[in-house]
Amino acid sequence: NAPRTTALMAKDPMILGTAYLPEAGEYNVTMLTGDQSNVPAFQVKGIHFRPAPEREPLGQSIDGSIVLEAKTATTYATKMRYAPQPEKNCHGFWIEADDWAEWIFDVTSPGKFQVSLVYGCGNGNEGSEVAVYLNDQEFTFTVEDTGGFQDWKEINLGKVAMDFIGENKLAIIPKTKAAKAVMDIQKIVLKPVSEES
């Protein structure tokens, strides 16, 4: 149900909720306007569907660390998606080189952080070059065989300063895809470190 807007020319979009579209293809969208006999006008400029995460990221923990789980990322993908099975709990099916994921999260205690990634990669699929962008910082690494897509390995990507309170963004984007699949991503962890380290 859409509440009344403040003006007919309101520019900010009204967020109605979330919808799950399980596969590619055409979907019907129906809008029921109800009785308009007592209102001067009803205008719709368009309906916009944008990708959304399975769940919003948790806030910064009491020790200052930030854990960005796979289910809290928004995927811009045709194949890669969140796999909720307990043994997975990751972004998998990363077989398209143009697929990527983004986390938008809040920082309440700025500082310097160690950035680490937990991922898995099956034999024969290693070798893709991947970039991790955290605000204006870039980290790159080459995916290694971990023994299986759900055999998790944690790698340290480097340190970064997040100097302001509020919204930050992190994206994982392949630069090259070496084989059938890039990798599975379970989570990214940002751990505070001292300014001297």
Side-chain angles (χ1 to χ4, degrees):
N1 290 326
R4 180 190 298 268
T5 58
T6 56
L8 290 176
M9 298 302 292
K11 298 194 185 318
D12 293 333
M14 181 186 308
I15 299 173
L16 296 176
T18 58
Y20 181 67
L21 306 179
E23 57 189 38
E26 293 186 5
Y27 289 84
N28 293 323
V29 177
T30 303
M31 180 176 292
L32 178 64
T33 61
D35 181 10
Q36 297 185 57
S37 61
N38 294 321
V39 294
F42 181 83
Q43 297 179 356
V44 176
K45 294 183 178 178
I47 299 174
H48 181 201
F49 290 86
R50 65 176 177 84
E54 297 280 330
R55 183 173 67 76
E56 293 299 318
L58 296 173
Q60 193 168 3
S61 69
I62 196 166
D63 68 357
S65 62
I66 300 167
V67 178
L68 302 174
E69 299 173 290
K71 61 186 166 189
T72 64
T74 298
T75 56
Y76 297 86
T78 56
K79 297 291 185 183
M80 181 178 64
R81 61 187 182 274
Y82 175 64
Q85 298 89 339
E87 69 277 10
K88 292 186 177 182
N89 189 26
C90 67
H91 278 303
F93 310 99
W94 200 347
I95 58 177
E96 297 291 339
D98 293 334
D99 291 357
W100 61 285
E102 179 185 53
W103 286 260
I104 299 176
F105 60 98
D106 284 330
V107 171
T108 53
S109 298
K112 193 173 183 182
F113 294 81
Q114 173 71 53
V115 183
S116 62
L117 169 71
V118 179
Y119 78 94
C121 180
N123 182 265
N125 286 281
E126 66 276 6
S128 297
E129 187 180 4
V130 177
V132 175
Y133 299 95
L134 179 50
N135 297 328
D136 60 350
Q137 301 289 313
E138 178 182 354
F139 305 94
T140 58
F141 68 98
T142 301
V143 176
E144 298 178 358
D145 174 15
T146 66
F149 282 101
Q150 282 82 58
D151 290 333
W152 306 113
K153 176 180 181 179
E154 182 172 359
I155 60 168
N156 291 325
L157 299 175
K159 296 181 177 72
V160 64
M162 291 191 289
D163 297 326
F164 60 91
I165 293 173
E167 184 178 278
N168 289 259
K169 294 182 179 181
L170 186 147
I172 297 183
I173 303 174
K175 290 194 163 192
T176 64
K177 184 170 83 79
K180 183 179 178 182
V182 178
M183 62 178 171
D184 283 2
I185 303 169
Q186 192 178 58
K187 61 185 173 182
I188 296 191
V189 180
L190 308 172
K191 294 180 181 175
V193 294
S194 66
E195 291 295 334
E196 294 76 31
S197 61

